[in-house]
Amino acid sequence: MLSPMRQVKHTSDQNEPLSYTYADRHMDQEVSKYAIPATGMDARVAYQIIRDELNLDGNPALNLASFVTTWMEPEADELLKETANKNFVDQDEYPQTEEIHQRVISMMGRMFNAPKECDPVGTCTVGSSEAIMLGLLAHKWSWKKRREQAGKPTTNPNIVFSADVHTCWEKFARYFDVEMRVVPLKKDQFYMTADQVVDYIDENTCAVGCVLGTTFTGQIDDIRGINDTLLKLKAEKGWDIPIHVDGASGGFVAPFVYPEVEVDFRLEQVRSINTSNHKFGLVYPGIGSVVFRDRSDLPEELVFNINYLGGSMPNYSLNFSRASSMVLLQYYNFLRLGQEGYRRIMTNIMDNAQYLEKKLIETGYFELLNESKYLPTVTVRLKDRELPTKVVYMLSDLLRQFGWIVPAYPLPANADDVHVLRMVVKENFSRDMAEKFAADIVKCIKKLGDEAQDFEKYFEQQKGKGRVC
Ligand SMILES: Cc1ncc(COP(=O)(O)O)c(C=O)c1O
């Protein structure tokens, strides 16, 4: 039988009641790309054209490069559609949405173990970048106030963080005119320790940034050690230097996978924490949040009481209008999963990451940079250190042919001779996918070898050629 599309005569009449999507005239003409077209088109056709074009994108389910959530339940998808038309900033018009926002922040304050005597406050943002900027800005402001009260100059604030922070830390320093003091990585140590930090801080340090799960290797800084050092300095010199924890990736992993490790408000100097709810909060992009340990850590001058559309709304953000959906989806996940659900999902993905590690080691071609202990990321380099670094980039390219998206990159300065492949294991990455991935990467390696006719000979020839990329 012919498909309905074939049965319909091609028509260019827009008013034709029975015009099938692929038979519309727009399908045999170029659509407008750079200027708004003079006339419109049928809704189904516009939808189909865009949908078809997007088929050329990678498949989010196979995107092991990104930490960002690529799957939510159908009920969450429904809620998303139903709430996309509510402007999050219109608190006066949508008071219940704001009420839910406050609940989300309160739940996160508790998740980060704010002490009973504290009153944690915060806000949801579009992601961790905005959240980090808001957190650091508050600390810069508080530092300035303390210095003014002490009659000391306020001209040279600095922030201290390690070389493997996300680029948004550097952005903050430049946008908000704060000196950045970058603690370099060591050869085989991809996190920051208390001993290293001490050399970089002084009375002008507004905050120390500690990463809970780095983008590059998934490691965590020695947050407890750095806290103890700062407490000592407070007692000895009177410098009250806060820690801002960048929990973009680890913020939802730590509380459920290694709750006994103190990386949160249980540590006195940890005054603010950001997380990307669109990562392991398991919500679609873009939502992040910043939570302060106590109301007193957020200077009240930074909270704007805006008179807008007939009401007064407290607002601490860099942006203004956006959809309410993601905040509501975070609340959905909290209710739907509970702590038990988050614990199960996080434990599963950590187990699957470790399984993938094992599979990659078994291929004989890779070694781990570090174990997936703190984040479900698998970071490997070539076992044969004499091979040119180009090979990991070639593998990254070849994996694309199988649909897998896997980044290859060098580590930051001082460790930049190390070139890695990194896979982020997310909720939808099953054991079977791990098996398939490991099999595919072996095929890619063999392909590289076959193209050079003799695999062993090829790699033998490449040895000692040094860095190619
Ligand atoms: C450690 C860390 N901090 C901050 C960010 C920025 O997060 P977002 O994309 O939510 O702005 C990322 C993003 O990958 C990250 O890994």
Side-chain angles (χ1 to χ4, degrees):
M1 204 177 110
L2 287 173
S3 71
M5 221 153 44
R6 297 243 180 93
Q7 288 171 330
V8 170
K9 221 171 124 253
H10 184 281
T11 173
S12 58
D13 182 357
Q14 287 285 289
N15 299 318
E16 169 71 53
L18 262 184
S19 135
Y20 286 88
T21 305
Y22 284 113
D24 189 273
R25 71 179 165 83
H26 292 282
M27 284 294 180
D28 60 16
Q29 286 168 29
E30 253 192 82
V31 293
S32 198
K33 294 193 184 64
Y34 307 111
I36 301 172
T39 57
M41 62 175 74
D42 187 277
R44 287 164 311 158
V45 179
Y47 170 78
Q48 199 64 44
I49 283 175
I50 295 171
R51 207 163 182 266
D52 288 351
E53 184 165 350
L54 292 180
N55 284 332
L56 295 167
D57 276 345
N59 179 346
L62 302 181
N63 182 358
L64 306 188
S66 173
F67 285 87
V68 171
T69 301
T70 51
W71 179 86
M72 287 190 79
E73 293 177 313
E75 290 76 8
D77 288 346
E78 272 308 301
L79 202 54
L80 190 157
K81 271 195 269 172
E82 287 165 16
T83 56
N85 62 352
K86 285 190 177 179
N87 190 352
F88 181 62
V89 87
D90 291 347
Q91 293 172 18
D92 204 44
E93 287 77 1
Y94 307 124
Q96 215 47 38
T97 297
E98 176 53 21
E99 161 67 26
I100 289 175
H101 174 217
Q102 292 308 325
R103 289 182 206 164
V104 166
I105 294 297
S106 165
M107 287 178 180
M108 290 180 50
R110 277 161 219 259
M111 180 175 84
F112 293 140
N113 291 302
K116 282 211 169 52
E117 67 277 13
C118 292
D119 176 16
V121 293
T123 186
C124 286
T125 58
V126 291
S128 276
S129 303
E130 186 191 1
I132 288 169
M133 305 225 185
L134 292 174
L136 296 178
L137 192 59
H139 298 314
K140 179 187 175 193
W141 201 271
S142 299
W143 167 85
K144 195 167 160 225
K145 277 196 343 187
R146 282 197 302 274
R147 299 279 295 173
E148 278 167 357
Q149 278 159 11
K152 293 187 172 161
T154 58
T155 40
N156 292 310
N158 67 68
I159 45 168
V160 175
F161 50 77
S162 83
D164 60 353
V165 293
H166 186 268
T167 171
C168 61
W169 283 81
E170 203 176 324
K171 252 191 196 173
F172 168 81
R174 205 174 299 170
Y175 290 179
F176 293 93
D177 203 16
V178 174
E179 180 198 346
M180 57 176 189
R181 298 193 174 167
V182 181
V183 179
L185 289 184
K186 286 192 187 160
K187 192 92 196 110
D188 278 311
Q189 178 201 298
F190 310 116
Y191 60 90
M192 185 171 73
T193 61
D195 306 350
Q196 290 174 291
V197 169
V198 141
D199 297 335
Y200 290 81
I201 49 189
D202 60 23
E203 60 180 348
N204 289 321
T205 303
C206 332
V208 174
C210 290
V211 187
L212 179 57
T214 65
T215 321
F216 297 95
T217 64
Q219 299 279 79
I220 62 178
D221 290 330
D222 177 15
I223 305 178
R224 165 134 235 148
I226 294 169
N227 176 74
D228 294 348
T229 298
L230 293 178
L231 281 176
K232 217 163 133 224
L233 277 174
K234 185 155 72 169
E236 284 168 8
K237 304 199 180 205
W239 301 345
D240 186 6
I241 303 176
I243 295 175
H244 175 93
V245 172
D246 180 354
S249 302
F252 273 89
V253 182
F256 301 108
V257 178
Y258 43 98
E260 70 291 351
V261 182
E262 295 187 355
V263 289
D264 53 26
F265 295 135
R266 282 170 286 183
L267 302 175
E268 191 177 324
Q269 290 309 102
V270 173
R271 300 293 174 73
S272 53
I273 304 177
N274 71 276
T275 191
S276 294
N277 304 68
H278 54 214
K279 293 180 179 166
F280 297 109
L282 307 177
V283 178
Y284 293 130
I287 173 170
S289 43
V290 58
V291 184
F292 294 90
R293 189 170 196 259
D294 185 63
R295 191 170 289 277
S296 58
D297 292 308
L298 173 59
E300 52 197 30
E301 298 87 336
L302 293 182
V303 181
F304 281 72
N305 274 306
I306 302 169
N307 257 324
Y308 187 63
L309 302 181
S312 174
M313 324 170 307
N315 180 282
Y316 186 41
S317 66
L318 297 180
N319 300 296
F320 199 67
S321 300
R322 67 194 158 104
S324 302
S325 317
M326 299 311 159
V327 176
L328 299 170
L329 291 194
Q330 182 61 81
Y331 190 54
Y332 168 84
N333 273 351
F334 284 156
L335 295 187
R336 159 82 176 120
L337 300 173
Q339 296 185 28
E340 177 55 25
Y342 269 102
R343 198 168 298 118
R344 279 181 60 181
I345 291 171
M346 294 304 148
T347 312
N348 270 356
I349 55 179
M350 290 300 284
D351 287 351
N352 284 348
Q354 279 155 15
Y355 185 74
L356 177 61
E357 278 179 359
K358 189 169 134 274
K359 288 273 134 200
L360 292 178
I361 298 299
E362 279 171 12
T363 65
Y365 298 115
F366 301 104
E367 65 183 18
L368 295 180
L369 214 64
N370 47 264
E371 282 172 42
S372 318
K373 232 164 90 188
Y374 299 113
L375 274 192
T377 52
V378 177
T379 315
V380 293
R381 62 173 156 192
L382 292 168
K383 194 169 171 189
D384 190 337
R385 301 273 178 97
E386 285 187 45
L387 288 175
T389 53
K390 187 182 176 187
V391 173
V392 288
Y393 297 89
M394 291 164 88
L395 282 175
S396 172
D397 280 350
L398 279 177
L399 281 165
R400 281 274 187 154
Q401 293 178 9
F402 290 86
W404 300 107
I405 304 174
V406 175
Y409 52 82
L411 295 185
N414 271 8
D416 52 359
D417 57 334
V418 182
H419 294 250
V420 297
L421 287 168
R422 191 215 54 200
M423 286 65 62
V424 180
V425 172
K426 294 193 284 282
E427 200 184 354
N428 62 319
F429 189 85
S430 62
R431 290 275 161 129
D432 290 342
M433 283 170 88
E435 300 268 357
K436 180 87 183 82
F437 179 78
D440 286 347
I441 206 166
V442 169
K443 281 185 203 150
C444 293
I445 291 177
K446 295 254 151 75
K447 194 158 187 254
L448 276 184
D450 287 346
E451 275 165 14
Q453 285 174 354
D454 179 328
F455 178 70
E456 295 303 330
K457 205 162 117 207
Y458 170 73
F459 282 111
E460 213 42 56
Q461 282 163 357
Q462 300 299 318
K463 277 188 185 177
K465 286 200 179 159
R467 208 170 132 183
V468 183
C469 298

